[in-house]
């Protein structure tokens, strides 16, 4: 039983759930200026407002809008988006049989999934891809970074606090070193970091503005680029002689000047985020050090320009910061950004639904950068819960009249395949038995803990997930398109992992299937387990004739399971 | 394929350009049927594209546009070539003896100094917008109806995930081969019989048809399907992809990675590949431009010439368009680190093979090589020229139902003096 499995019956205990959610700790951000005092009052939920704006944006919306998706579709969709894998056939049947009214039933499911340890893992994957963009780099060990990210998500820390910690990190202090991965595993190359601060946290790609005002995008100016660069330019990578660890030092001097290669006009700037005011240095701090930079001493200035970056980034004036994250989280849930590409927001490439973008950004601020709250509200919208878009034109898809296909991420695909074939269940059972044998006293309680289950299973199967990531992850960060290469198909066609997992053994999927003699039963179990829906009559007939035509039952079972698991219906979240 | 008529009948296409194989593939997809005679006609007209991409931006001074003895000329001499009067840099001695088979363009102005932008312009022939790469367009219109290999192969160790096919079918997207290592998982699992593999694939195809039938975003599902088709093709060419170059090949081409890649490129072209791009990395010479070009071109020159010789020896030169190009050139000004920086204002490249008049020099730069002085062209003109040379009318529309999208930028035209 995977951790999610044991959670499902909890759907009945709504009271328990409510308690869990209220107990949700929201520690204050580190010593950085607080956003304004939180506005706490009863107000209408966000999700109907989103639906209203989406509907109002397209004149004939009601006519073209797809109806809400079926419960089966919703069940699979929400599991993938919120916990990063598909549900079991058993869970699916229970959800379909539950007679609770649809909206109530779906809302309860969303709560349940958000409370699962798998939610934290799923968001860890999402944020890692968003922030580290599948870069290799080992100045900060990956596991430390991932654990830090995941615990931040589990505690539901404010997004502004998380980003502030990342941008304030210098890697010198062990406890705060994980957050320094953003800088240190870009080797703190100022041009790379400047561009990525713009792209990843502000949603603007200023690369071309490095050498001149952007030739085709009016809003991207060279001073924008150098304004960000000025926060960073005085910092440098310092290697500690004893620990050999890399960390950031900073000088107390150095200004940023730039010249356009087109106009030869010179400019100079202090630290500045886009069109916010420049941040002047306080008087008398030039060349003033707490620790003077030397070959064996990490420079620490009295006044740090770099530490102004987190402050400026999360200040309430910085609307771009909130617009960026809501657009990115919207894309995670809806399959495309309100602004596409996600890092090219400017006047000539506005959001398809600017009112929605503004509403989400405003409300996220009022809700103290509560990411889990935003994900919940998005999942509750009709926009999220619609059936698949019917037409093929991009315009229709961009109206959100129907749900957009989302390709499973490498991690979603890995876990889905392992959960479906039974690898997860078998591995967890073995790990449980191992612990119970070692520690019969407290083992029972430990192995029943969903958090223990999730982490144990993850650690045991991580090498498999890594293989999927190597094969299926394209270069670069979060994006919403879909590409599929021949080597990915070869992995699914011939790869050793998939072949191994299809071999019937110890009650795994193919073992269960081969024992089902009636082909209708076989088809039902197969479709429920792999695609989370009942087969249609034609599909039962097709399975039946396949089983009749192939005399080797084991072979037929493996072939059919393979076909479903490599089908487009499985490859996408729909 | 006239503009905007929505009429893509096979007889129109054949009468326009009798050998346009890809149109037959399109027609087949639309339910048209080819007669054996037409098929033969298409077969005999099979054309190919070979792209040799020198990644990072090679220096025009140290290659096709030498300016010895001038302010920015650098230390190298120029040498005579097999074309009277055509001089190139001494770093290309093997090419110099073969220039009567190739032509050069010295007057390309790309108006960008950015790697990404320069590359996209050179590949798409347009500097803005979502358009397919040269390779995808060539793959679509040149590939035979049942290709034995993925239609657009790129041998490279670094992969940029570009949307190379844009609005064209996913089967014509670039497929990367990682250096000269054969892709993993090429062999069918031992326990899976050929028949079992076929029937499970058929069942999978049925499922996919049900899933995509009449529903949205068919581009996603088509991309997914086509990756499986490409995988099947690669499996059928396992021997070719895994073959170790012979001792003689390594001696001629060089045993370095670029040499091996070019042997593979030759083998792919000889075995039915339609478009092959092979990348030679490492021309971004911000420091030590001269030493780097000495080294890089030392590898490139002989290896490329062996590939050229073999293509000619197997009778494919007349039907294979060959491009040697970068994303831009390098600055006239030599920086403090003896480097040359990014430069898009006066760029050179070489072309040869199918449809290209050999021994021609197009355009010129001024005395010090700081700007184009004659016959300025850009990647848009080049794009037109490639397709004119391959017998595909670049002013015609793409064969994409319901849309009117000209193959080449309508504001540009072919470089006529290069065409046979």
């Amino acid at each position: 039983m995977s951790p999610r499995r044991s959670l499902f019956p909890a759907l009945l205990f709504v009271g328990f759930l409510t308690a869990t959610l209220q107990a949700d700790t929201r520690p204050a951000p580190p010593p950085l200026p607080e956003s304004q005092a939180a506005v706490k009052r009863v107000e209408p939920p966000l999700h109907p407002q989103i639906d209203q704006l989406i509907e109002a944006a397209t004149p004939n919306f009601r006519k073209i809008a797809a109806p809400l998706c079926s419960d089966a579709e919703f069940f699979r969709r929400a599991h993938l988006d919120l916990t990063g894998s598909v549900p079991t056939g058993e869970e699916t049947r229970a959800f379909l049989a539950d007679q609770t009214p649809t909206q109530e039933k779906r809302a309860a499911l969303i709560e349940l999934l958000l409370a699962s340890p798998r939610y934290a893992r799923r968001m860890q994957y999402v944020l890692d891809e968003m922030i580290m963009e599948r870069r290799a780099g080992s100045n900060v060990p990956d596991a430390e970074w991932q654990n830090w990210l995941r615990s931040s998500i589990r505690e539901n820390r404010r997004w502004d606090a998380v980003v502030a910690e990342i941008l304030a990190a210098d890697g010198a202090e062990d406890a705060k070193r994980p957050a320094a991965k953003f800088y240190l595993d870009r080797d703190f190359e100022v041009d790379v970091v400047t561009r990525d601060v713009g792209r990843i946290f502000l949603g603007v790609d200023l690369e071309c503005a490095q050498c001149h005002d952007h030739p085709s995008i009016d809003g991207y100016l060279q001073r924008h680029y150098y304004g960000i660069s000025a926060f960073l330019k005085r910092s440098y990578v310092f290697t500690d002689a004893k620990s050999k660890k890399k960390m950031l030092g900073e000088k107390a001097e150095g200004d940023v000047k730039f010249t356009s290669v087109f106009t030869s006009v010179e400019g100079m700037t202090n630290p500045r985020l886009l069109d916010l005011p420049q941040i002047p240095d306080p008087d008398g701090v030039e060349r003033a050090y707490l620790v003077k930079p030397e070959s064996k001493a990490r420079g620490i200035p009295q006044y740090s320009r770099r530490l102004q970056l987190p402050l400026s980034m999360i200040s309430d004036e910085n609307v771009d910061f909130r617009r960026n994250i809501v657009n990115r989280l919207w894309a995670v849930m809806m399959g495309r950004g309100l602004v596409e590409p996600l890092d090219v927001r400017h006047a000539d490439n506005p959001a398809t639904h600017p009112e929605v973008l503004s509403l989400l950004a405003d409300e996220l601020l009022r809700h103290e950068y509560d990411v889990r709250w935003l994900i919940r509200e998005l999942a509750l919208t009709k926009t999220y819960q619609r059936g698949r878009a019917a037409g093929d034109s991009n315009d229709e898809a961009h109206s959100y009249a129907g749900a957009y296909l989302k390709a499973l991420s490498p991690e979603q695909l890995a876990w889905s395949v392992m959960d479906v074939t039974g690898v997860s269940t078998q591995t967890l059972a073995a790990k449980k038995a191992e612990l119970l044998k070692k520690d019969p006293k407290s083992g029972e309680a430990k192995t029943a803990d969903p958090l223990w289950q999730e982490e144990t299973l993850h650690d045991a199967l991580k090498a498999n997930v890594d293989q999927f990531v190597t094969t299926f992850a394209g270069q670069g960060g979060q994006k919403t398109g879909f590409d599929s290469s021949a080597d990915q198909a070869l992995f699914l066609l011939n790869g050793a992992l998939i072949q191994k997992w299809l071999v019937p053994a110890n009650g795994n999927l193919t073992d269960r299937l081969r024992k089902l003699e009636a082909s209708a039963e076989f088809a039902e179990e197969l479709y429920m387990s792999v695609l989370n829906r009942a087969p249609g009559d034609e599909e039962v007939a097709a399975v039946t004739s396949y089983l009749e035509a192939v005399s080797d039952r084991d072979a037929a079972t493996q072939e059919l399971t393979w076909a479903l698991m490599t089908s487009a219906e499985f490859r996408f979240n729909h | 394929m006239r503009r905007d008529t929505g009429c893509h009948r096979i007889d129109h296409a054949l009468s326009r350009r009798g050998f346009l194989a890809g149109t037959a593939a399109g027609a087949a997809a639309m339910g048209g049927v080819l007669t054996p005679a037409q098929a033969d006609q298409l077969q005999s007209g099979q054309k190919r594209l070979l792209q040799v991409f020198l990644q990072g931006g090679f220096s025009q001074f140290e290659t096709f546009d030498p300016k010895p003895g001038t302010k920015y000329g650098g230390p190298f001499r120029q040498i005579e070539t097999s074309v009277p009067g055509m001089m190139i840099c001494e770093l290309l001695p093997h090419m110099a003896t073969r220039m009567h088979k190739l032509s050069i363009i010295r007057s390309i102005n790309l108006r960008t100094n950015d790697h990404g932008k320069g590359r996209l312009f050179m590949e798409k022939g347009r500097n803005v917008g979502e358009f397919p790469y040269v390779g995808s367009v060539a793959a679509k219109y040149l590939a035979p109806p049942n290709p034995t290999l993925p239609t657009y192969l790129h041998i490279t160790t670094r992969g940029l995930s570009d949307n190379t096919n844009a609005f064209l079918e996913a089967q014509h997207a670039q497929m990367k081969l990682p250096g000269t290592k054969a892709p993993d998982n090429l062999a069918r699992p031992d326990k899976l019989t050929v028949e079992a593999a076929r029937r499970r694939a058929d069942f999978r195809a049925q499922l996919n048809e049900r899933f995509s039938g009449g529903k949205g975003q068919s581009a996603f599902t088509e991309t997914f399907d086509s990756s499986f088709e490409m995988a099947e093709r690669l499996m059928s060419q396992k021997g070719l992809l895994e073959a170790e170059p012979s001792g003689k090949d390594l001696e001629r081409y060089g045993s370095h990675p670029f040499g091996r890649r070019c042997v593979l490129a030759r083998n792919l072209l000889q075995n039915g590949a339609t478009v092959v791009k092979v990348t030679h990395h490492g021309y971004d010479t911000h420091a030590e431009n001269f030493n780097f070009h000495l080294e890089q071109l030392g590898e490139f020159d002989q290896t490329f010439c062996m590939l050229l010789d073999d293509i000619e020896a197997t009778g494919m030169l007349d039907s294979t368009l060959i491009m040697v190009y970068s994303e831009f050139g390098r600055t006239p000004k030599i920086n403090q680190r003896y480097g040359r920086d990014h430069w898009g204002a006066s760029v050179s490249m070489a072309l040869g093979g199918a449809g290209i008049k050999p021994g021609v020099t197009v355009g010129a730069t001024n005395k010090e090589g700081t700007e184009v002085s004659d016959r300025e062209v850009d990647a848009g003109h080049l794009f037109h020229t490639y397709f004119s040379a391959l017998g595909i009318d670049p002013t015609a529309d793409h064969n994409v139902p319901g849309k009117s999208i000209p193959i080449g930028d309508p504001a540009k035209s072919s470089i006529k003096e290069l065409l046979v």
Side-chain angles (χ1 to χ4, degrees):
Chain A
M1 294 290 275
S2 88
R4 280 176 306 99
R5 319 273 190 270
S6 52
L7 270 167
F8 184 67
L11 190 53
L12 306 170
F13 307 113
V14 177
F16 160 80
L17 262 177
T18 317
T20 314
L21 290 164
Q22 282 164 351
D24 182 15
T25 48
R26 308 253 308 134
L32 288 159
E34 285 289 336
S35 309
Q36 80 241 27
V39 189
K40 288 270 180 208
R41 58 191 150 91
V42 182
E43 44 193 272
L46 180 63
H47 58 274
Q49 303 176 54
I50 297 173
D51 288 329
Q52 238 165 31
L53 289 175
I54 291 287
E55 194 175 322
T58 304
N60 57 343
F61 189 87
R62 287 191 180 206
K63 218 173 110 196
I64 60 169
L68 290 192
C69 64
S70 70
D71 275 351
E73 278 175 294
F74 177 76
F75 197 62
R76 183 179 189 269
R77 185 185 296 176
H79 269 85
L80 278 166
D81 284 329
L82 302 179
T83 64
S85 183
V86 292
T88 64
E90 206 181 326
E91 289 167 333
T92 311
R93 284 186 201 103
F95 186 75
L96 297 181
D98 186 343
Q99 294 301 310
T100 314
T102 303
Q103 281 316 310
E104 217 173 293
K105 186 162 96 165
R106 291 186 183 189
L109 177 72
I110 292 167
E111 293 308 336
L112 185 72
L113 298 179
L114 287 173
S116 150
R118 276 202 158 183
Y119 165 74
R121 183 73 65 184
R122 157 73 174 150
M123 289 305 287
Q124 168 209 313
Y125 291 140
V126 167
L127 295 180
D128 172 50
E129 186 190 32
M130 189 188 294
I131 297 168
M132 291 313 295
E133 306 203 309
R134 312 254 184 224
R135 275 168 182 277
S138 55
N139 286 327
V140 174
D142 201 48
E144 286 176 24
W145 156 252
Q146 305 282 5
N147 288 341
W148 176 79
L149 264 183
R150 196 172 64 265
S151 63
S152 301
I153 298 155
R154 225 173 16 234
E155 293 160 16
N156 198 26
R157 288 183 64 193
R158 305 169 54 122
W159 172 248
D160 58 345
V162 171
V163 174
E165 190 173 335
I166 288 171
L167 296 179
D170 58 21
E173 209 182 314
D174 278 353
K176 292 188 175 167
R177 198 166 162 83
K181 192 171 179 73
F182 173 76
Y183 286 143
L184 293 179
D185 281 324
R186 285 170 170 82
D187 298 321
F188 204 77
E189 284 182 39
V190 173
D191 287 334
V192 174
V193 176
T194 299
R195 182 176 177 222
D196 284 355
V197 165
R199 291 176 47 247
I200 294 168
F201 299 115
L202 297 167
V204 294
D205 184 353
L206 298 167
E207 189 185 28
C208 294
Q210 185 179 347
C211 307
H212 40 73
D213 289 348
H214 198 290
S216 52
I217 299 177
D218 283 344
Y220 286 4
L221 304 179
Q222 206 175 2
R223 69 173 160 76
H224 290 147
Y225 182 89
Y226 284 96
I228 297 177
S229 176
F231 286 105
L232 306 164
K233 195 79 184 177
R234 291 176 171 185
S235 298
Y236 63 93
V237 177
F238 171 83
T239 308
D240 184 66
K242 222 166 94 190
S243 67
K244 303 280 179 245
K245 282 182 179 167
K246 293 202 160 84
M247 47 191 74
L248 296 184
E250 189 173 356
K251 294 179 192 149
E253 57 196 290
D255 281 316
V256 167
K257 289 184 187 143
F258 54 92
T259 315
S260 168
V261 296
F262 290 162
T263 61
S264 299
V265 173
E266 271 202 40
M268 189 168 137
T269 183
N270 265 39
R272 171 183 201 180
L273 277 188
L274 303 182
D275 290 317
L276 297 182
Q278 292 195 43
I279 304 169
D281 293 352
D283 289 338
V285 295
E286 191 160 1
R287 286 188 267 277
Y289 284 101
L290 299 177
V291 179
K292 208 163 181 238
E294 280 171 29
S295 66
K296 288 196 177 148
R298 184 174 73 95
I300 305 178
Q302 234 177 55
Y303 168 78
S304 164
R305 280 192 171 183
R306 197 183 71 250
L307 289 179
Q308 299 302 310
L309 179 58
L311 300 183
S312 196
M313 182 64 79
I314 67 165
S315 72
D316 289 353
E317 289 71 48
N318 190 13
V319 185
D320 293 309
F321 174 64
R322 327 192 254 283
R323 289 202 177 144
N324 171 67
I325 188 62
V326 297
N327 186 51
R328 285 174 178 273
L329 293 174
W330 176 274
V332 169
M333 294 297 284
M334 306 297 182
R336 75 178 310 276
L338 293 161
V339 179
E340 281 279 352
L342 300 173
D343 57 3
V344 191
R345 195 182 58 250
H346 56 82
D348 293 331
N349 185 36
T352 50
H353 296 71
E355 310 80 9
V356 176
L357 190 68
S358 299
L359 175 70
L360 295 177
D362 292 350
E363 289 299 306
L364 186 68
L365 177 65
R366 272 157 39 91
H367 284 82
E368 303 178 297
Y369 286 98
D370 183 342
V371 169
R372 191 184 297 172
W373 165 82
L374 182 64
I375 298 278
R376 175 188 301 120
E377 290 298 325
L378 294 178
L380 287 168
T381 58
K382 285 184 195 159
T383 309
Y384 177 76
Q385 298 189 13
R386 282 191 198 288
R388 243 172 99 192
D392 217 16
S393 114
N394 282 343
D395 298 341
E396 263 177 70
H398 297 355
S399 69
Y400 296 97
Y404 210 63
L405 288 185
K406 290 169 285 204
L408 267 54
S409 70
E411 292 90 352
Q412 285 175 320
L413 188 60
W415 284 109
S416 296
V417 170
M418 291 193 293
D419 287 354
V420 162
T421 50
V423 180
S424 305
T425 314
Q426 288 182 336
T427 306
L428 191 63
K431 289 284 165 191
K432 274 185 182 172
E434 209 176 284
L435 187 75
L436 286 172
K437 205 172 156 195
K438 230 190 318 182
D439 184 2
K441 259 193 198 159
S442 59
E444 198 70 50
K446 232 185 218 173
T447 55
D449 177 9
L451 191 60
W452 178 88
Q453 294 182 1
E454 199 282 331
E455 298 199 332
T456 304
L457 193 58
H458 168 269
D459 295 350
L461 299 178
K462 181 172 184 299
N464 296 332
V465 179
D466 289 347
Q467 275 203 47
F468 275 78
V469 171
T470 308
T471 309
F472 289 91
Q475 286 196 336
Q478 187 193 2
K479 49 182 169 296
T480 53
F482 174 63
D483 208 351
S484 179
S485 62
D487 50 317
Q488 293 169 5
L490 288 169
F491 179 91
L492 297 174
L493 279 159
N494 304 330
L497 273 186
I498 306 274
Q499 299 312 314
K500 189 174 77 186
W501 295 340
L502 286 172
V503 176
N506 307 323
N508 70 359
L509 175 63
T510 47
D511 191 29
R512 284 203 314 276
L513 285 169
R514 68 175 170 168
K515 290 173 184 155
L516 296 172
E517 278 173 30
S519 54
E521 248 178 273
F522 182 109
E524 202 274 348
E525 175 68 13
L526 176 66
Y527 275 72
M528 270 296 175
S529 300
V530 184
L531 301 176
N532 306 112
R533 65 175 176 85
D537 291 345
E538 278 173 35
E539 289 169 320
V540 175
V543 169
T544 306
S545 61
Y546 200 103
L547 291 172
E548 278 165 7
V550 181
S551 56
D552 182 339
R553 185 81 168 185
D554 280 7
T557 305
Q558 293 186 48
E559 288 159 31
L560 286 167
T561 307
W562 176 86
L564 264 70
M565 223 167 53
T566 57
S567 68
E569 187 170 349
F570 191 81
R571 184 70 184 82
F572 296 102
N573 189 4
H574 39 82
Chain B
M1 290 214 283
R2 283 165 296 168
R3 274 184 86 168
D4 224 354
T5 58
C7 175
H8 305 294
R9 284 170 53 94
I10 187 70
D11 46 355
H12 291 204
L14 279 180
S15 60
R16 286 277 296 273
R17 347 182 224 318
F19 44 76
L20 186 50
T23 312
M30 290 182 288
V33 181
L34 282 181
T35 65
Q38 281 168 329
D40 281 348
Q41 194 183 356
L42 296 169
Q43 195 86 46
S44 63
Q46 172 70 55
K47 299 209 175 187
R48 286 162 298 271
L49 171 64
L50 168 66
Q51 301 179 285
V52 182
F53 182 61
L54 309 189
Q55 178 272 333
F58 67 78
S59 166
Q60 65 281 15
F61 292 96
E62 278 72 54
T63 52
F64 305 121
D65 194 12
K67 303 279 179 187
T70 66
K71 189 173 171 192
Y72 303 121
F76 298 118
R77 294 177 307 148
Q78 60 180 357
I79 52 175
E80 305 252 2
T81 69
S82 55
V83 178
M86 185 196 275
M87 307 290 275
I88 63 173
C89 179
E90 65 173 330
L91 296 182
L92 299 171
H94 292 94
M95 265 186 109
T97 64
R98 292 165 176 84
M99 285 315 294
H100 60 287
K101 299 170 190 171
L102 301 167
S103 285
I104 54 184
I105 303 125
R106 288 178 171 153
S107 52
I108 305 164
N109 184 356
L110 299 175
R111 295 172 201 273
T112 177
N113 296 330
D114 178 90
H115 285 290
K117 288 209 150 45
R119 180 171 52 80
L120 292 176
F121 194 15
M122 286 301 283
E123 293 289 0
K124 297 175 174 183
R126 284 161 162 103
N127 52 12
V128 284
E130 280 294 301
F131 291 93
Y133 277 36
V134 182
S136 285
V137 177
K140 177 172 165 78
Y141 298 113
L142 297 179
N146 289 302
T148 51
L149 280 164
T151 54
Y152 175 17
L153 294 159
H154 182 190
I155 310 169
T156 177
T157 47
R158 283 174 235 171
L160 286 148
S161 299
D162 281 331
N163 182 17
T164 54
N165 56 311
F167 46 78
L168 301 180
E169 297 86 342
Q171 69 183 98
H172 302 305
Q174 184 182 90
M175 153 96 205
K176 289 184 188 72
L177 295 177
T180 49
K181 198 175 127 293
D184 288 338
N185 302 314
L186 271 185
R188 186 165 35 79
D190 291 338
K191 286 184 183 154
L192 193 70
T193 63
V194 177
E195 200 204 336
R198 187 195 43 75
R199 69 181 173 234
R200 72 174 194 175
D202 288 348
F203 195 84
R204 180 179 173 277
Q206 277 176 37
L207 286 167
N208 286 354
E209 211 169 297
R210 179 191 183 274
F211 181 73
S212 51
K215 306 231 181 65
Q217 285 172 280
S218 55
F220 277 27
T221 48
E222 275 167 23
T223 299
F224 191 49
D225 279 343
S226 102
S227 70
F228 275 75
E229 279 162 28
M230 282 203 266
E232 303 275 0
R233 281 179 211 152
L234 286 173
M235 285 171 69
S236 70
Q237 298 286 344
K238 188 166 172 286
L240 176 66
L241 293 161
E242 288 177 348
E244 179 65 16
S246 70
K248 192 166 175 244
D249 279 340
L250 289 179
E251 198 182 303
R252 292 177 62 231
Y253 281 74
S255 56
H256 45 76
F258 183 63
R260 289 168 178 271
R261 280 176 215 169
C262 285
V263 173
L264 178 61
R266 179 200 64 192
N267 294 347
L268 292 169
L269 287 168
Q270 288 176 355
N271 285 276
T274 305
V275 179
V276 176
K277 176 175 174 179
V278 56
T279 291
H280 191 207
H281 295 285
Y283 286 85
D284 197 14
T285 52
H286 289 285
E288 296 293 342
N289 173 72
F290 305 101
N291 284 336
F292 267 111
H293 274 80
L294 187 66
E295 213 173 283
Q296 289 280 119
L297 293 173
E299 270 187 17
F300 162 78
D301 182 43
Q302 176 172 347
T303 303
F304 170 74
C305 289
M306 295 305 106
L307 182 54
L308 179 65
D309 289 357
D310 284 352
I311 287 172
E312 190 180 22
T314 45
M316 299 196 304
L317 188 58
D318 289 344
S319 53
T320 307
L321 176 68
I322 300 173
M323 300 163 54
V324 178
Y325 67 116
S326 269
E327 63 266 51
F328 47 47
R330 308 222 66 92
T331 49
K333 199 172 161 207
I334 298 160
N335 68 27
Q336 289 171 335
R337 295 172 293 165
Y338 304 103
R340 295 190 193 264
D341 298 314
H342 300 175
W343 183 256
S346 51
V347 179
S348 297
M349 75 174 284
L351 266 179
I356 296 292
K357 200 181 283 176
V360 175
T361 305
V362 173
T365 51
N366 65 5
K367 200 166 153 242
E368 292 182 341
T370 56
E371 61 182 18
V372 171
S373 58
D374 178 40
R375 186 62 167 119
E376 179 173 316
V377 297
D378 67 25
H381 303 98
L382 293 167
F383 197 88
H384 274 261
T385 309
Y386 309 144
F387 290 103
S388 295
L390 287 165
I392 295 167
D393 179 1
T395 64
D397 270 357
H398 273 296
N399 188 357
V400 176
K403 285 183 185 165
S404 167
I405 305 166
I407 291 175
D409 181 347
K412 307 287 162 63
S413 55
S414 294
I415 304 169
K416 295 276 183 317
E417 57 270 39
L418 275 172
L419 298 172
V420 174

